[in-house]
Amino acid sequence: SEVTDDALHDLMYNFSLKHCQEGDIVFTPGSETKTLYFVMDGIVEIFAEFEGHPFVIEHLHRGSIINYRNWFIDEHNMVSARF
């Protein structure tokens, strides 16, 4: 289905800037997806726990959008993200 004009308007005019420090956790598995994140600077690490240790899935850089799939289909996070 298509995104409505009202939804696009809400996206464009309801952004807020959040500054994160290195090591800050953005979200964890099972957390609700209520926020889209746009990486403006720095690197975000997407990872999962494997046998008690973090397993890095990917590194996201400036211009990346985080949580967009889960946000649109209203699913909970399956992985963790940190700066």
Side-chain angles (χ1 to χ4, degrees), residues 24-78:
D24 284 355
I25 299 294
V26 180
F27 55 80
T28 57
S31 59
E32 290 186 73
T33 304
K34 293 185 177 187
T35 305
L36 288 174
Y37 296 96
F38 294 83
V39 180
M40 304 286 291
D41 193 24
I43 299 171
V44 176
E45 188 173 69
I46 305 298
F47 68 98
E49 292 289 326
F50 182 73
E51 295 183 356
H53 300 283
F55 176 79
V56 177
I57 298 167
E58 70 179 314
H59 290 102
L60 302 175
H61 301 269
R62 181 180 178 170
S64 296
I65 303 171
I66 306 170
N67 266 356
Y68 65 93
R69 279 182 246 147
N70 290 350
W71 190 79
F72 281 110
I73 59 176
D74 196 26
E75 286 191 353
H76 288 73
N77 291 305
M78 304 285 288

